[in-house]
Amino acid sequence: MGEVEEEAPSGPTAAAAVTKPPPSRPRLTVLPLIALIFYDVSGGPFGVEDSVRAGGGPLLSLLGFIVLPIFWSLPEALITAELAASFPENGGYVVWISAAFGPFWAFQEGFWKWASGTLDNALYPVLFLDYITHSLSFFARSFCLVFLTAALTYLNYRGLHLVGLSAIVLTAFSLSPFIAMAFLAIPRIRPNRWIKFDRKRLDLRAYFNNMFWNLNYWDKASTLAGEVDNPSRTFPKAIFGAVVLVVLSYAIPLLAGTGALDETKTGEWTDGYFSQVGFEIGGTWLKLWIQAAAAMSNMGLFEAEMSCDSFQLLGMSEMGMFPAIFAKRSKYGTPTYSILLSATGVIILSCMNFQEIIEFLNFLYALGMLLEFAAFIKLRIKKPDLHRPYKIPVNTIGAVVICIPPTVLLVLVMCLASIRTLVVTGSVMIFGFVLYFLFAKLKEREWVEFLTTPLEKTEIDEEACASLLLEGSSVKKDEPLQRETDSSLEGIIKIE
């Protein structure tokens, strides 16, 4: 970000000046960021079991997790690496959309992605219980959901650096039983089982929604860019490391499980089934190990998603899009009220069933990704001189070509949506439109406090200077009026 000379804020915004973490606060480095991205996207093979059932057997599931990362995950990861390095600010994709299309669409992007992320986070207590209740069916489900959400939210409140370090440990523990399972399965594997496919069992809607859900959210960690040490270098390294880790964490357990078990059990592959796979391959000890790993994985998934969602709201608040209260940080540097809002949404939405949540969040996520791809192309065309510490080595035509395969997948997933999904997501979109204008009116009337950042004041001053120069047509401009050329927030317009 370019240097902007800051003045002490005055007036009603003085008490709510943009808050940044103290310089001494630990920042995220490569390994913790890889772990957080891994949990944003995957967290291990828990939840991929439905792809075997919905795909009519192992063939489509294995092909999906080998081929789709090339045409979906890699393009999204590359675009995220370029834009996150260019705009290393909290808010991530909201900042990108604002730079390309202005504040209205940036707000919609942020709202859709926050809603999608909250829906996604509501899955993890549900998945946790799907594994644990196989052994402890007497658990009161509603009590567990509230208790788990509260406990994990508190850990998130205690600090992002702590979450990042915890994610490293959880990643190692969550994947360890599948390494053991893979070795134990080798003598039992029959490669011909991998190519089994029953067309009558194929459920395209469930299959694509499961594949898409398990391979998306590569852009999510960009909302933490302001908390990363040297983000322009750290983000590309972490993104590519996470791509390799995610693909292996899906492919190896699926190859071991489907290759070692009888293909007649295809219909039994539903969420939570890997614990049974472990039992049949290794016995009770491996089943319990996988169940414990699932519990730990869902903790990591929850923590990573909660961090990204809350820091996204913090970034939007610092941009003047959300009320100032959402930018307030705790003594640990975490956005207290943003965390509380996200946790409340999780508790409310966790009463929905697994497949409903996936469909709703996938549709909202797809809308946001279409905007991100459009912003990526527009910024390549309109801002060719934007400082890009990491740049995908292709020209503008190549940038368009990169976006075509994932765009086709996004449209396909949206076309497969049920009527109920269309109604629910349409309602969320309408609410987002209304909320934008409501916040604009509240800001105009000063009924609710919004932040006025130093950058916003600088932009207003520059517009005034430009108007004076245009009026003085007889005066020759000796030097052009410009911002710092390396400003990572160039072109961002705040809500007026």
Side-chain angles (χ1 to χ4, degrees), residues 87-248:
F87 298 91
E89 302 293 325
N90 291 330
Y93 34 75
V94 179
V95 182
W96 315 341
I97 303 301
S98 186
F101 300 116
F104 176 79
W105 288 112
F107 183 91
Q108 303 312 315
E109 167 81 3
F111 185 70
W112 298 341
K113 284 300 191 76
W114 179 81
S116 174
T118 304
L119 278 165
D120 186 53
N121 224 9
L123 282 173
Y124 304 129
V126 174
L127 281 174
F128 172 85
L129 293 175
D130 282 342
Y131 276 89
I132 296 301
T133 52
H134 287 176
S135 301
L136 302 171
S137 58
F138 60 87
F139 267 34
R141 192 174 187 84
S142 59
F143 173 79
C144 286
L145 289 172
V146 174
F147 177 79
L148 285 171
T149 302
L152 295 175
T153 299
Y154 178 73
L155 178 60
N156 205 279
Y157 166 78
R158 287 299 302 270
L160 184 59
H161 184 63
L162 178 62
V163 171
L165 294 178
S166 300
I168 297 175
V169 176
L170 291 172
T171 298
F173 183 78
S174 298
L175 297 181
S176 57
F178 295 101
I179 297 174
M181 188 180 78
F183 280 108
L184 292 173
I186 290 175
R188 302 177 54 170
I189 287 178
R190 302 292 182 268
N192 64 308
R193 291 171 176 164
W194 293 334
I195 60 173
K196 296 297 181 180
F197 171 65
D198 185 352
R199 190 172 181 275
K200 294 180 181 179
R201 293 177 177 266
L202 180 63
D203 183 346
L204 277 179
R205 179 189 296 169
Y207 171 75
F208 275 109
N209 272 297
N210 186 275
M211 297 297 301
F212 186 65
W213 173 63
N214 279 293
L215 290 169
N216 64 17
Y217 287 102
W218 294 99
D219 60 334
K220 200 67 179 178
S222 67
T223 60
L224 305 172
E227 314 300 312
V228 174
D229 180 43
N230 194 5
S232 297
R233 292 182 179 272
T234 301
F235 246 100
K237 293 178 183 178
I239 283 282
F240 298 133
V243 168
V244 175
L245 186 60
V246 167
V247 173
L248 292 178

Side-chain angles (χ1 to χ4, degrees), residues 4-83:
V4 178
E5 186 176 343
E6 299 187 8
E7 297 180 7
S10 59
T13 61
V18 177
T19 54
K20 296 289 183 182
S24 60
R25 189 177 302 281
R27 296 282 182 141
L28 291 174
T29 53
V30 174
L31 279 180
L33 188 56
I34 288 177
L36 284 172
I37 295 172
F38 171 71
Y39 275 112
D40 279 328
V41 177
S42 168
F46 312 104
V48 306
E49 299 99 328
D50 265 325
S51 67
V52 178
R53 178 193 57 79
L59 179 62
L60 288 186
S61 177
L62 292 170
L63 284 177
F65 286 115
I66 293 172
V67 175
L68 284 180
I70 299 173
F71 295 102
W72 165 250
S73 300
L74 190 58
E76 186 183 357
L78 288 169
I79 291 169
T80 298
E82 177 172 317
L83 294 178

Side-chain angles (χ1 to χ4, degrees), residues 308-328:
C308 294
D309 290 343
S310 58
F311 274 93
Q312 178 199 313
L313 291 180
L314 179 144
M316 293 178 72
S317 181
E318 289 180 338
M319 294 169 67
M321 293 183 176
F322 258 64
I325 192 172
F326 293 105
K328 292 184 177 180

Side-chain angles (χ1 to χ4, degrees), residues 233-491:
R233 292 182 179 272
T234 301
F235 246 100
K237 293 178 183 178
I239 283 282
F240 298 133
V243 168
V244 175
L245 186 60
V246 167
V247 173
L248 292 178
S249 74
Y250 289 153
I252 292 175
L254 280 172
L255 286 168
T258 59
L261 297 189
D262 189 348
E263 60 269 22
T264 59
K265 296 185 177 181
T266 296
E268 299 178 16
W269 282 78
T270 57
D271 55 272
Y273 189 65
F274 263 123
S275 61
Q276 182 62 28
V277 175
F279 175 75
E280 296 195 25
I281 291 176
T284 303
W285 65 272
L286 186 55
K287 174 183 177 179
L288 294 175
W289 191 3
I290 290 175
Q291 288 179 339
M296 296 300 102
S297 173
N298 281 286
M299 286 178 60
L301 288 161
F302 187 99
E303 293 302 320
E305 184 68 58
M306 179 66 74
S307 296
C308 294
D309 290 343
S310 58
F311 274 93
Q312 178 199 313
L313 291 180
L314 179 144
M316 293 178 72
S317 181
E318 289 180 338
M319 294 169 67
M321 293 183 176
F322 258 64
I325 192 172
F326 293 105
K328 292 184 177 180
R329 295 178 184 252
S330 69
K331 63 181 179 180
Y332 305 107
T334 49
T336 305
Y337 295 99
S338 296
I339 290 174
L340 289 175
L341 179 61
S342 297
T344 302
V346 167
I347 292 174
I348 293 172
L349 296 170
S350 58
C351 61
M352 300 167 61
N353 69 49
F354 185 86
Q355 196 59 42
E356 281 181 337
I357 293 176
I358 287 182
E359 278 200 35
F360 295 161
L361 72 87
N362 279 348
F363 196 97
L364 290 170
Y365 184 82
L367 285 173
M369 285 309 306
L370 290 174
L371 262 182
E372 288 180 33
F373 292 152
F376 168 66
I377 294 171
K378 183 172 182 179
L379 289 171
R380 276 296 190 98
I381 297 171
K382 298 296 184 182
K383 298 182 183 294
D385 298 326
L386 176 69
H387 179 54
R388 293 176 171 89
Y390 170 80
K391 183 178 181 181
I392 304 173
V394 294
N395 57 19
T396 303
I397 295 177
V400 174
V401 171
I402 286 175
C403 294
I404 292 175
T407 299
V408 171
L409 178 60
L410 290 170
V411 173
L412 176 61
V413 169
M414 294 171 73
C415 289
L416 290 172
S418 64
I419 298 297
R420 184 176 183 181
T421 297
L422 293 175
V423 171
V424 171
T425 53
S427 300
V428 172
M429 292 174 66
I430 292 172
F431 185 73
F433 297 154
V434 173
L435 194 62
Y436 174 84
F437 291 108
L438 174 63
F439 281 174
K441 182 61 66 175
L442 292 175
K443 185 177 183 180
E444 178 186 341
R445 298 290 180 89
E446 297 185 351
W447 289 344
V448 175
E449 189 175 27
F450 288 79
L451 294 180
T452 302
T453 66
L455 178 59
E456 185 178 17
K457 183 179 184 302
T458 301
E459 289 175 340
I460 295 171
D461 290 344
E462 286 179 350
E463 290 176 2
C465 292
S467 298
L468 290 173
L469 288 172
L470 288 172
E471 289 175 4
S473 57
S474 61
V475 180
K476 181 179 180 180
K477 299 177 185 176
D478 294 328
E479 295 182 1
L481 179 67
Q482 64 179 25
R483 287 186 197 147
E484 292 288 325
T485 57
D486 64 344
S487 175
S488 62
L489 291 180
E490 180 182 1

